[in-house]
Amino acid sequence: MVEVLVVGAGPTGLTAACALLARGIQVRVVDGAAGPATTSRALGLQPRGQEVLRRVGALGDLPERALDIRATGIHVAGRKVVEVGAAMGDGGPRMWWIPQTEVEERLRARLAELGGSVEWGTTVRALTQDADGVDAELGDGTRLRAGWVIGCDGAHSQVRKSAGIGFPGAPVLERFLLADVHLDRSGDTAAGTFLGAGGQFVAMPLPHPDGDLWRLMAPAPAGLGDDPDEAAILRLLTGFAVERAGFSGLRITSPEWTSVFRFHRRLADTYRAGRMLLAGDAAHIHSPLGGQGLNTGVGDAENLAFKLALVISGHAGEALLDTYTAERRPIAESVLRATSFGTKLGFAETPAGQRVFAAVAPVLRLPVVQRRLLHASSQLGISYRRGPLAGRRFRAWRGPGVGDRVPDLPTRDADGGRASLHERLKTGWALLAGGAAGDYLRAASARLGAGNVRVLAPENGAAQEVWLVRPDGHLAWRGRGVAGLDAALRRVTCA
């Protein structure tokens, strides 16, 4: 019997598998596709996603491979009305423009380093569970037994269906045209969102050695057939580039990928049914606005992996897994609300809605508005302070409170080595202490497992308190006294 079966080898499934394998948990990864995806799909890795990949050891050379875009423009009637920055201040965190295929490639490389692999062409036909595990029937008729199953198998998740979990929702936009194409940019092609006669159009560059690969998108026009071919999609997008963006001389030299799709807003009723759990698109789908999907999915995977590893290793009770839904589902709810609103506004399908967009767009010039939008899309402000693991808050904290993300502080280890907190966390826990912490370390190790906790000293001098930082970078406890730490650990492990 395998300890964990991960269904789906996209970014979410690969992150979950890497995080579990790094903790010594046996994992099997299956995917019904014949092989890795070759179309770019999601574009963009937000700061939160970057931190997750760093902690699971999968960041690699992605920073060097990403396209350096500092800002994108919003144009109305041929005039740029605002430029939206991609970084939170000079030198601050910023989204990396990189295709999902390259993120998946790095995660597969990390999976291989940890001794794992993806079983391509392996579908899951049905799943049944009992108190001790899950039986999976595969597409070829073979069966396997797993202790736990994580469904990372997308919007049509077989894991979700087998678990009997509802997935209510509705379309956000009727249909959308998309194409990744090589362009002859002899004209005045520019990156950004454009509102012109007839509606919206988006043009964004993609990383490519020749620098000529672009993504073009626009709402599909009324009356378009159910299954337009590649030529029809390219003809429409080329026309929209002229009519809505004012591009002249644009010529598509060759397409990489074309698609017609609907934006849906759906959210699973729960992320857990017994020993079957959901993550990523199997649990929530929404508009791709702001590059939130991939990042929310890998955040799910990291949160679930450290909790499931504690349960499997016997360091936590199964009730800990219920906190996964309690912490992550509200995050998805907020993402669904924000992306649905932004999509309906930014890609309004009626003349009245387009006039509202034209009127609202200049507000984005305000620095305070840009900072808030960028901070929200970065996902660095995610907090679980109202979640079940935070406990009761008796006072206002100065700095992060229990459940908040801890900033990437500079730290020193016992040997004097220097590195930032999130570089050192990896898949373990950290005690931030300015002085002797032997008693704290023994107490934490007794609850979380020997070797799973490290002591770090903040570079900014002696700390007045000890902080316990979770593997996902959130604060689990802060205070003084081993008794207080032990009480917090009992809560965290559902002991």
Side-chain angles (χ1 to χ4, degrees), residues 75 80 185 187-194 201-205 214 245 247:
H75 307 72
K80 183 187 288 186
R185 294 183 60 203
D188 52 0
T189 309
T193 299
F194 302 82
F201 178 77
V202 176
M204 295 302 301
W214 283 66
F247 293 168

Side-chain angles (χ1 to χ4, degrees), residues 172 265 289 335-347 360:
V172 178
R265 167 182 170 160
L289 188 72
V335 169
L336 264 66
R337 284 194 300 268
T339 56
S340 296
F341 174 78
T343 300
K344 289 177 180 178
L345 177 65
F347 296 101
V360 169

Side-chain angles (χ1 to χ4, degrees), residues 18 101 111 166 292 366 402 437:
C18 288
T101 47
L111 184 72
Q292 299 297 291
L366 299 174
V402 174

Side-chain angles (χ1 to χ4, degrees), residues 25-87:
I25 304 299
Q26 184 189 18
V27 178
R28 187 169 174 181
V29 184
V30 300
D31 194 295
T38 57
T39 54
S40 59
R41 296 171 291 158
L43 174 64
L45 190 63
Q46 292 284 5
R48 177 75 178 211
Q50 297 164 25
E51 288 189 351
V52 174
L53 264 61
R54 178 179 291 113
R55 288 191 286 265
V56 299
L59 204 57
D61 62 349
L62 289 180
E64 291 75 33
R65 292 160 66 177
L67 196 62
D68 188 14
I69 297 179
R70 297 289 171 172
T72 60
I74 296 178
H75 307 72
V76 176
R79 182 174 64 89
K80 183 187 288 186
V81 296
V82 65
E83 191 168 74
V84 181

Side-chain angles (χ1 to χ4, degrees), residues 21 27 42 138 171 247 276 317 332 385 437:
L21 281 169
V27 178
L138 304 182
F247 293 168
M276 291 189 269
R385 63 167 58 190

Side-chain angles (χ1 to χ4, degrees), residues 305-331:
F306 89 78
K307 294 173 179 177
L308 185 55
L310 284 174
V311 171
I312 291 173
S313 63
H315 291 102
E318 286 190 21
L320 178 60
L321 297 177
D322 293 326
T323 73
Y324 165 60
T325 297
E327 289 189 339
R328 292 301 299 176
R329 193 173 183 276
I331 304 304

Side-chain angles (χ1 to χ4, degrees), residues 382-468:
I382 285 175
S383 174
Y384 307 129
R385 63 167 58 190
R386 291 183 173 86
L389 297 182
R392 296 178 61 189
R393 298 178 68 236
F394 293 98
R395 62 185 175 92
W397 297 107
R398 182 180 179 183
V402 174
D404 291 345
R405 169 188 170 271
V406 179
D408 197 13
L409 306 170
T411 66
R412 300 188 314 275
D413 61 19
D415 298 323
R418 288 173 165 80
S420 70
L421 170 65
H422 291 278
E423 284 183 87
R424 293 194 183 279
L425 273 177
K426 300 190 185 302
T427 53
W429 299 66
L431 282 165
L432 286 179
D439 291 343
Y440 292 98
L441 178 60
R442 283 186 287 274
S445 297
R447 294 284 182 184
L448 302 171
N452 289 334
V453 187
R454 65 176 60 196
V455 176
L456 300 172
E459 282 274 28
N460 58 358
Q464 298 301 310
E465 298 176 314
V466 175
W467 292 8
L468 177 66

